Amino acid sequence: MLQEHFDATIARNDRIEPRDWMPDAYRATLVRQVAQHAHSEIIGMQPEGSWIGRAPSLRRKAILLAKVQDEAGHGLYLYSATETLGVSRDELTEMLLSGRQKYSSIFNYPTLTFADVGTIGWLVDGAAICNQVPLCRTSYGPYGRAMIRICKEESFHQRQGYELLMTMMRGTDEQRAMVQESVDRFWWPSLMMFGPPDADSPNTARSMAWGIKRNTNDELRQKFVDMSVPQAEALGVTLPDPDLRWNEERGHHDFGQPDWEHFMQVVKGNGPCNAQRLAHRQRAHDDGAWVREAAMAFARRSEQERATTERAAS
Ligand code: BYC
């Protein structure tokens, strides 16, 4: 009966809400995906955050600060959405820090120049938008609603990145070379953000049947490539893929495959910055211990005061 109600809700493309019955595997898949997404937003603050103190102007610094703060906010909405599935924020943080839950592979690469701030905005946030717009229609209510606001902010992020790169491309030869070099480093990792090819994606079929994912990894990767090619042309940069060309018959661009063996290594924790990212996150968690303790002490005291006032009133 409960299963039938759940199946009918999914079939109608209606939302599943926290108090509705749901299969254990549906809940577990959502916890895995939404937590991984939340962790990505929080870890994703690090690569760009390292440029806040070195931004070339006050304007660029203010923009970057706002963007990195948005990412903290996205992490919070997504942790809250995950909590509605019955896991606490403490448990989720523990799973990230112990390596039992993942975060996006893209954040395991260094940001070597200020052009990387622009490239992350253009390509990484561009890939995120491609992946996340369909998630606004995901079957789990709290996740879909969080995604609506996140996508609005992501589109500001992408534009600021593109505008930054455009400004650099109108500058000196050295600045143009810096942009090209940055795009060369970030292109392939951006394609990897969409996950393994469909044939090697163990979760896609079931997540699509449940309406958690609305498109396959390869469909979204194709959409991203088709979207990026004219943007690269307008910018005046070359995408580092010799196999990239328009296919008239398919009405899409053909493109080369990323190095999937390298991707698996990054996902397993062996990427260029995995250890650094987790160590930094652990340090921030330890440094924040006093804030959590103070908040708990404040909550306990407020509760005691409330109880005392109530007793006095009765
Ligand atoms: N990195 O069966 P598959 C942002 C894992 S934040 C690491 O296809 P699924 C931003 C996958 O988890 C962007 N791991 O999985 C923030 C699975 O392993 P487990 C974050 C990856 O879930 C700050 C295994 O590989 N976006 O935009 O059906 C600054 C097999 O994969 C990756 C989201 O999280 C990867 N790239 O599909 C700037 C979006 N890809 O868990 C920007 C929400 C795959 O079974 N998530 N794996 O051990 C999704 O849409 C889906 O989870 C994915 C993967 C498309 C990523």
Side-chain angles (χ1 to χ4, degrees):
M1 185 64 189
L2 289 169
Q3 178 78 51
E4 273 168 29
H5 184 262
F6 172 85
D7 291 342
T9 309
I10 297 288
R12 280 196 314 274
N13 268 329
D14 268 356
R15 302 270 208 202
I16 304 294
E17 294 297 339
R19 287 189 186 150
D20 294 341
W21 181 88
M22 60 187 90
D24 289 344
Y26 176 86
R27 188 185 297 273
T29 298
L30 274 166
V31 169
R32 179 183 65 77
Q33 176 166 327
V34 188
Q36 174 169 329
H37 196 162
H39 299 324
S40 303
E41 298 282 357
I42 298 300
I43 297 274
M45 294 165 74
Q46 292 184 37
E48 290 166 284
S50 72
W51 279 96
I52 292 173
R54 296 176 288 166
S57 68
L58 184 59
R59 176 172 175 267
R60 291 291 172 200
K61 188 180 176 119
I63 294 171
L64 187 53
L65 258 176
K67 178 184 193 273
V68 173
Q69 279 179 348
D70 280 355
E71 278 145 16
H74 297 175
L76 296 186
Y77 314 152
L78 290 165
Y79 280 128
S80 300
T82 322
E83 282 182 315
T84 66
L85 292 156
V87 260
S88 72
R89 174 92 179 266
D90 282 348
E91 287 171 283
L92 295 170
T93 305
E94 189 349 73
M95 284 197 271
L96 168 69
L97 294 175
S98 63
R100 276 177 296 148
Q101 281 181 345
K102 300 186 168 87
Y103 59 90
S104 179
S105 51
I106 190 69
F107 303 116
N108 292 306
Y109 297 89
T111 40
L112 303 178
T113 69
F114 194 69
D116 290 354
V117 171
T119 309
I120 290 177
W122 174 38
L123 293 178
V124 175
D125 292 304
I129 291 169
C130 258
N131 167 271
Q132 292 172 15
V133 167
L135 290 176
C136 296
R137 292 181 289 108
T138 192
S139 57
Y140 187 58
Y143 188 28
R145 288 188 286 275
M147 289 318 304
I148 292 170
R149 179 153 174 198
I150 291 175
C151 284
K152 287 189 181 152
E153 292 175 351
E154 289 292 357
S155 76
F156 152 67
H157 294 176
Q158 196 205 15
R159 281 164 208 208
Q160 71 79 35
Y162 198 72
E163 190 267 343
L164 193 166
L165 295 182
M166 198 52 111
T167 306
M168 288 184 79
M169 291 304 285
R170 290 200 198 105
T172 62
D173 284 348
E174 204 182 354
Q175 284 175 305
R176 276 187 284 279
M178 205 186 273
V179 172
Q180 182 62 60
E181 189 274 336
S182 172
V183 170
D184 289 347
R185 274 184 291 114
F186 274 95
W187 175 248
W188 294 109
S190 301
L191 291 191
M192 293 175 195
M193 284 176 73
F194 296 94
D198 293 349
D200 303 320
S201 162
N203 299 298
T204 293
R206 204 164 57 160
S207 288
M208 299 258 300
W210 276 329
I212 294 175
K213 283 168 78 164
R214 295 292 182 186
N215 300 90
T216 72
N217 300 355
D218 286 335
E219 281 167 10
L220 294 174
R221 197 173 359 258
Q222 177 74 64
K223 192 167 169 216
F224 174 68
V225 171
D226 289 339
M227 182 178 104
S228 301
V229 170
Q231 293 174 354
E233 273 165 23
L235 205 50
V237 294
T238 313
L239 296 173
D241 178 357
D243 298 325
L244 186 62
R245 63 183 57 87
W246 177 250
N247 181 326
E248 191 64 53
E249 222 167 276
R250 291 200 310 120
H252 291 291
H253 291 87
D254 290 339
F255 58 98
Q257 284 298 304
D259 178 349
W260 290 117
E261 180 44 43
H262 165 81
F263 167 76
M264 285 317 298
Q265 285 304 321
V266 178
V267 171
K268 280 188 197 143
N270 304 321
C273 297
N274 293 61
Q276 180 188 330
R277 300 293 185 234
L278 273 182
H280 187 89
R281 182 69 194 87
Q282 178 73 59
R283 240 184 349 265
H285 186 66
D286 296 345
D287 288 349
W290 71 270
V291 180
R292 292 189 295 279
E293 278 161 26
M296 292 304 287
F298 181 76
R300 271 194 304 274
R301 204 180 65 189
S302 304
E303 179 55 28
Q304 275 163 6
E305 281 172 3
R306 198 187 54 77
T308 311
T309 318
E310 262 175 28
R311 265 200 308 276
S314 62

